[in-house]
Amino acid sequence: MRFTEVEHKFVVGRQFDVDAFRTVVQALDPPPLRSFALRVLDRYFLTEHGRAHRYVIRHRYDASLHHLTVKSLEADPEVRDEINLDLGQHAGDQAATVDAFVKRLGATWSGDITKDIEVWEFPQCEIVHYTAWSGDREVHCVEFEAVHVANLDEALAVLERFERAAGFGDATRTMDSLVDLLFPGFLEQAGVQRHATPE
């Protein structure tokens, strides 16, 4: 599970009551190990090889992380490959170097996404609320990601437990990745067949 991301994303409206949600999450038992908020810039790149083999490259640089990541593209983003290279904070934002790197790989598309995120970290789950935007498109989401789990069954059980406890047990998760939500048609451009809505 080291290179596997298991998460559920729920699109919530602009009027979503973040204060009430925050109160519910902070009252979970056991309580979160830590919580924090910050602004994140994610830069996504699709290469010729990525289109052929169904993955996207992400460069993230913020106050806590500096990663270059390969994420698999799936019709259902519940379970995806996610491989992170830690570029470290010591050299600062290496955007120009990353641009040159992916250009050499044959980048055919790129897009930037800014997110204002609030994160609650539990021993087996990370809960995030965020507003994300690119250009004039904006989306509000709540995500539940299983962490430090041994297998997929355990990961899905963790998600179900936390979603129910946080009031999302009966909600319908989105089958779109964040990139596809903010760049409609991205999956088709990447060669991934569209999905059906989960029951």
Side-chain angles (χ1 to χ4, degrees):
M1 299 295 290
R2 179 181 175 192
F3 301 122
T4 303
E5 175 188 63
V6 183
E7 73 173 20
H8 288 168
K9 184 192 317 295
F10 299 87
V11 176
V12 296
R14 181 187 294 269
Q15 303 305 316
F16 180 71
D17 192 338
V18 180
D19 290 336
F21 181 69
R22 183 182 299 116
T23 299
V24 169
V25 172
Q26 290 175 336
L28 293 179
D29 186 22
L33 300 172
R34 72 172 185 142
S35 61
F36 59 92
L38 75 161
R39 178 162 289 183
V40 173
L41 174 62
D42 286 339
R43 305 167 62 236
Y44 288 87
F45 303 90
L46 182 65
T47 65
E48 296 166 0
H49 191 268
R51 188 182 191 285
H53 296 275
R54 294 176 51 161
Y55 68 85
V56 66
I57 296 171
R58 182 186 69 195
H59 178 223
R60 171 175 290 177
Y61 177 72
D62 59 44
S64 63
L65 293 176
H66 191 190
H67 284 172
L68 191 63
T69 301
V70 170
K71 294 174 74 78
S72 63
L73 296 171
E74 308 290 345
D76 181 350
E78 179 180 56
V79 181
R80 293 186 291 179
D81 294 340
E82 180 175 291
I83 304 166
N84 293 301
L85 293 177
D86 189 350
L87 301 183
Q89 304 288 76
H90 61 283
D93 187 359
Q94 299 178 49
T97 303
V98 170
D99 287 346
F101 185 87
V102 296
K103 181 179 180 181
R104 178 61 68 175
L105 294 177
T108 59
W109 175 91
S110 67
D112 294 354
I113 296 176
T114 305
K115 297 192 291 188
D116 283 335
I117 69 173
E118 186 166 1
V119 181
W120 296 270
E121 293 181 345
F122 296 84
Q124 287 193 300
C125 188
E126 184 176 275
I127 302 175
V128 184
H129 171 266
Y130 60 81
T131 299
W133 65 92
S134 184
D136 60 357
R137 296 189 65 87
E138 180 180 278
V139 66
H140 305 264
C141 298
V142 171
E143 288 182 358
F144 298 82
E145 180 178 352
V147 296
H148 310 300
V149 291
N151 53 57
L152 180 57
D153 287 341
E154 182 182 1
L156 294 174
V158 166
L159 293 183
E160 180 181 7
R161 184 170 74 248
F162 276 87
E163 287 163 14
R164 289 198 177 283
F168 280 78
D170 296 323
T172 300
R173 67 181 174 91
T174 182
M175 298 282 280
D176 293 316
S177 70
L178 182 58
V179 178
D180 206 43
L181 287 170
L182 289 175
F183 299 98
F186 171 78
L187 273 186
E188 289 84 351
Q189 181 178 339
V192 180
Q193 292 185 350
R194 295 299 300 178
H195 42 66
T197 301
E199 298 179 2

